[in-house]
Amino acid sequence: MTRQRSSKSSLSDTGAREGVPRRFRARVEYDGTDFAGFQVNPGKRTVQGVLEAALASLGDGVTQRVDGAGRTDAGVHASDQVIGFTYAGRLTDTDLGRALDALLPPDVTVRDVRRAPDGFQPRYAARYREYRYTVWNGPRSPLRERTALGVRVPLDTAAMARAGSVFIGRHDFRAFGAADRTTVRTVRSVRVRREGRLVTIDVGADSFLRGMVRRMVAVLLEVGLGKMDEDTVRAALAGPGPAFDGAAVPAKGLCLRRVTLGRRPGDANGEDEER
């Protein structure tokens, strides 16, 4: 019995000594309205900056980098961002999560803190990401339109869904996103749904080009307003230049809704994200 107690204690204390770095991952939710994006930007309030400041206050004041699965842009929200960070203190997973969350401002929360393999990088570990764009298709509503785009004219969501299917598959999305080493991405799903006056557009892919989802949604809204059809969208996707002069919807309606971990061999590298 003595040996059993000793073994249990040994397992629980492994890597928990002061000064021994341990890698963790966690899920983060934030209201991006008052942030200049996720990524640290000197002189501006960012999600990464707030998380790193809270983590530093739990240790010796030395800033430890916090990595995210998606580098969301200013005004973009997240309900399921994944982060990775290194912590060298004595707190256990559960206590670390509680302590970190207690130090965060009201517009950010952290949950599901757990140990991760050494070298864990959420950008490369993410196999699938899903963004949701929300539209309030009704009369002006200050509360709803804090995190949704207000559109007063009725939208044809069935036509939007048909046009959205054009994006599904492996395509060159240079017409719908910022230039990168490769502009080929695999979109696995585009879902357009209506619940009363609330319209949601969910786009899931292995990874995204910068601005990709907001440009896709801008075009789908034009379809919903009867200004173009799916053939026009198909032609724009195949075009060499920015589709419709790079038109994009505002960031406030966009939310990183889900990140699925577990990259498989042959998947895209996940370096570039919708921002």
Side-chain angles (χ1 to χ4, degrees):
M1 291 183 66
T2 301
R3 283 195 299 271
Q4 289 177 347
R5 285 196 298 268
S6 176
S7 174
K8 183 176 180 181
S9 176
S10 175
L11 287 172
S12 63
D13 291 342
T14 298
R17 299 188 304 275
E18 193 78 36
V20 178
R22 291 172 290 157
R23 192 69 175 164
F24 289 87
R25 64 179 173 91
R27 303 272 173 173
V28 181
E29 177 181 337
Y30 50 86
D31 177 345
T33 304
D34 298 323
F35 286 103
F38 178 85
Q39 199 166 12
V40 165
N41 192 340
K44 295 185 178 180
R45 185 175 186 257
T46 66
V47 179
Q48 185 182 26
V50 164
L51 289 167
E52 290 180 354
L55 187 60
S57 69
L58 290 177
D60 55 8
V62 177
T63 299
Q64 294 285 351
R65 180 180 173 86
V66 172
D67 302 297
R71 295 170 294 177
T72 55
D73 206 353
V76 177
H77 320 288
S79 59
D80 195 35
Q81 169 77 277
V82 174
I83 62 169
F85 61 92
T86 299
Y87 168 71
R90 296 183 60 88
L91 295 176
T92 63
D93 303 19
T94 302
D95 291 341
L96 176 59
R98 290 172 179 167
L100 188 58
D101 195 54
L103 293 168
L104 293 171
D107 47 3
V108 187
T109 188
V110 64
R111 62 181 182 273
D112 194 27
V113 175
R114 61 178 66 185
R115 285 292 301 275
D118 292 342
F120 170 76
Q121 290 290 339
R123 284 171 60 193
Y124 303 109
R127 175 166 57 88
Y128 177 87
R129 299 162 174 85
E130 184 176 277
Y131 282 85
R132 167 169 287 183
Y133 198 88
T134 303
V135 177
W136 175 248
N137 195 202
R140 195 168 71 87
S141 175
L143 288 178
R144 294 182 180 89
E145 291 172 34
R146 177 179 173 84
T147 56
L149 174 66
V151 176
R152 311 293 169 231
V153 181
L155 292 168
D156 183 345
T157 52
M160 291 170 64
R162 289 193 297 271
S165 67
V166 170
F167 295 117
I168 297 176
R170 192 162 181 79
H171 304 287
D172 187 333
F173 281 92
R174 71 178 64 188
F176 286 88
D180 190 58
R181 289 178 300 174
T182 174
T183 49
V184 175
R185 294 291 186 271
T186 301
V187 171
R188 303 185 186 278
S189 63
V190 178
R191 295 185 299 272
V192 181
R193 296 170 179 167
R194 174 185 289 278
E195 185 175 341
R197 290 173 171 170
L198 199 67
V199 175
T200 55
I201 302 113
D202 295 333
V203 183
D206 51 1
S207 61
F208 295 87
L209 295 172
R210 182 177 182 181
M212 183 171 152
V213 174
R214 286 192 282 152
R215 294 185 191 184
M216 290 168 62
V217 171
V219 171
L220 293 182
L221 289 178
E222 291 295 292
V223 173
L225 293 170
K227 297 180 179 180
M228 62 179 70
D229 57 21
E230 58 189 288
D231 290 333
T232 308
V233 177
R234 187 174 289 106
L237 179 60
F244 312 105
D245 297 322
V249 289
K252 68 175 182 176
L254 188 62
C255 179
L256 176 55
R257 185 168 179 251
R258 181 162 53 132
V259 175
T260 301
L261 300 177
R263 181 162 299 285
R264 299 169 298 194
D267 284 347
N269 61 25
E271 288 187 8
D272 300 289
E273 284 307 302
E274 169 68 31
R275 300 194 228 174

